[in-house]
Amino acid sequence: MNEPQAQTTELLTADHCKTSGGHLACQGCGGALSLRMALQVFGKECVFVIPACCMAVIDGPFPVSSLGVPLMHIAFGATAPTASGIRAGFAAQGKDEILVVGWAGDGATFDIGLGAVSAAADRNDDILYVCYDNEAYMNTGVQQSGATPRAAWTSTSPRQAPKYAAKKDIISIMAAHRIPYIASVSPSHPDDFVRKFQLAKKIKGFRFIHIFSPCPPGQRFEERNTIKIARKAVESRVFPLLEIYNGKKLTLQDIPDPQGLEEYIKLQRRFDHFSTEDRKQFESDINTHWHELHDWAIQSGGLTGENGKRNS
Ligand SMILES: Cc1ncc(C[n+]2csc(CCOP(=O)(O)OP(=O)(O)O)c2C)c(N)n1
Ligand SMILES: [Mg+2]
């Protein structure tokens, strides 16, 4: 593993936004780790909106919130309009420098709040919307969401009744809104993560960041494997690292020689029941998505990096 860039190390060990009273995440929570990293990029001048999800538990109840910045808990599907309203309130007061962040799970984003996310994107509201994606409704007992991969185990898609469709392509859905900035990040690639959050903080208009967020209890793996799984997801093309500007130019971190898919599957018991056919279909879903992005990146002159290791 390469050493992280000095700037990332400095930023992630800085004093500001250290969690005050600890947080309530499960061990190995990729979402909590990502939240901490993002908070350190944002600094104190930001307001969070968090809907019903694991993070609404993790951040801790008032008055001992672990975020260290103002935070509003909101109903499941209402993250984007609430963030838009807060931003409009600040704008009316001339407080343009305050960043308003919606931080929601995949259930809230891919499914239940999708219409509201779409409307805010359509208005190009000046907010940063972040979806931490653990590929199911984890907080309520691991129910299938639009982000769940085809045939993966959840409590509502057991082996006997597998999920029919591939993971919903949220990146393309958001790209179709032609918003100024979209990025995908993984906590296994902190330099890339920090750079994209820094950029998203500066850009005006609707920005969308998609975080790959491993979940030990829900995806059924050992806590110590969170970063390993996140890294394998990138290196095997399961989770492409990309940026899209104005719905047009796509930059993709290239993975010419994908590796680790077998181990990625093996490490997570949600895939234990996979038949040869399931395994093939899973790989085919990943490749279909990858090649669509890859073609687009080539067309828009945005193929970068090599084999997902550049930002280790
Ligand atoms: C309208 C509505 N439906 C259902 C719920 C129950 N609920 C609360 S959190 C949650 C799961 C959230 O899933 P996701 O957004 O993926 O976040 P995660 O829990 O995985 O972090 C559900 C179903 C609710 N609070 N409101
Ligand atoms: Mg989820």
Side-chain angles (χ1 to χ4, degrees), residues 52-54 76 105-108 132 134 136-140:
C53 60
C54 289
F76 207 1
D106 50 289
Y132 71 98
N134 49 28
Y137 295 76
M138 296 306 185
N139 186 45
T140 40

Side-chain angles (χ1 to χ4, degrees), residues 20-25 35 50 54-68 71 73:
S20 48
H23 61 66
L24 301 172
L35 178 63
I50 299 184
C54 289
M55 218 48 73
V57 178
I58 289 167
D59 59 25
F62 180 83
V64 287
S65 161
S66 59
L67 259 60
L71 148 71
H73 284 156

Side-chain angles (χ1 to χ4, degrees), residues 51-56 58 74-77 104-112 131-143 145 147 213 215:
C53 60
C54 289
M55 218 48 73
I58 289 167
I74 193 69
F76 207 1
D106 50 289
T109 306
F110 285 59
D111 301 337
I112 300 200
C131 172
Y132 71 98
D133 179 4
N134 49 28
E135 302 194 323
Y137 295 76
M138 296 306 185
N139 186 45
T140 40
V142 199
Q143 290 87 12
S145 81
S213 188
C215 168

Side-chain angles (χ1 to χ4, degrees), residues 26-29 216-217 221-227:
C26 306
Q27 282 182 17
C29 173
F221 63 84
E222 284 184 48
E223 292 83 350
R224 67 191 166 99
N225 285 332
T226 297
I227 294 299

Side-chain angles (χ1 to χ4, degrees), residues 1-310:
M1 188 169 77
N2 298 336
E3 285 301 311
Q5 287 174 15
Q7 189 214 12
T8 310
T9 311
E10 203 178 297
L11 189 68
L12 298 182
T13 52
D15 243 6
H16 63 272
C17 284
K18 279 251 168 75
T19 54
S20 48
H23 61 66
L24 301 172
C26 306
Q27 282 182 17
C29 173
L33 176 62
S34 300
L35 178 63
R36 182 171 180 274
M37 283 163 59
L39 274 166
Q40 302 216 15
V41 173
F42 297 154
K44 290 281 185 192
E45 294 282 279
C46 70
V47 172
F48 267 67
V49 177
I50 299 184
C53 60
C54 289
M55 218 48 73
V57 178
I58 289 167
D59 59 25
F62 180 83
V64 287
S65 161
S66 59
L67 259 60
V69 294
L71 148 71
M72 186 165 185
H73 284 156
I74 193 69
F76 207 1
T79 312
T82 306
S84 297
I86 292 173
R87 179 92 282 292
F90 282 136
Q93 295 173 1
K95 294 179 178 168
D96 290 333
E97 69 292 350
I98 299 176
L99 176 69
V100 182
V101 180
W103 189 284
D106 50 289
T109 306
F110 285 59
D111 301 337
I112 300 200
L114 185 60
V117 175
S118 171
D122 192 43
R123 294 187 300 265
N124 196 27
D125 286 343
D126 185 24
I127 60 172
L128 171 52
Y129 188 100
V130 180
C131 172
Y132 71 98
D133 179 4
N134 49 28
E135 302 194 323
Y137 295 76
M138 296 306 185
N139 186 45
T140 40
V142 199
Q143 290 87 12
Q144 168 189 316
S145 81
T148 304
R150 194 197 306 262
W153 174 91
T154 69
S155 59
T156 52
S157 57
R159 186 181 190 164
Q160 302 79 354
K163 186 187 180 197
Y164 166 72
K167 182 182 174 97
K168 200 185 279 187
D169 182 3
I170 195 71
I171 291 291
S172 297
I173 292 171
M174 294 316 297
H177 292 75
R178 310 273 187 260
I179 49 176
Y181 187 67
I182 294 170
S184 59
V185 298
S186 165
S188 58
H189 290 60
D191 288 332
D192 182 72
F193 186 112
V194 165
R195 181 183 67 75
K196 288 170 176 168
F197 267 89
Q198 281 174 330
L199 186 56
K201 185 182 167 185
K202 280 191 225 139
I203 291 172
K204 289 282 166 204
F206 195 94
R207 296 89 87 195
F208 183 87
I209 294 190
H210 185 201
I211 305 179
F212 187 77
S213 188
C215 168
Q219 297 165 349
R220 306 173 118 189
F221 63 84
E222 284 184 48
E223 292 83 350
R224 67 191 166 99
N225 285 332
T226 297
I227 294 299
K228 192 175 188 180
I229 285 171
R231 180 175 300 281
K232 300 250 168 261
V234 172
E235 293 178 355
S236 64
R237 297 181 175 170
V238 166
F239 192 80
L241 294 182
L242 55 77
E243 290 165 292
I244 302 174
Y245 300 87
N246 301 310
K248 287 191 188 125
K249 172 153 185 165
L250 183 144
T251 66
L252 177 69
Q253 191 167 309
D254 199 9
I255 312 284
D257 175 23
Q259 283 170 11
L261 183 61
E262 222 49 66
E263 209 183 340
Y264 176 80
I265 292 171
K266 232 184 189 160
L267 282 168
Q268 303 173 68
R269 286 192 287 123
R270 63 176 170 153
F271 301 128
D272 265 4
H273 61 285
F274 263 20
S275 63
T276 313
E277 197 41 50
D278 291 332
R279 163 73 180 71
K280 262 197 218 154
Q281 186 62 61
F282 184 77
E283 190 164 4
S284 159
D285 289 343
I286 288 159
N287 282 333
T288 302
H289 186 220
W290 173 266
H291 288 299
E292 283 165 5
L293 295 171
H294 197 261
D295 288 351
W296 182 359
I298 289 174
Q299 276 163 24
S300 61
L303 209 54
T304 62
E306 51 175 54
N307 219 20
K309 288 182 178 156
R310 186 185 56 150

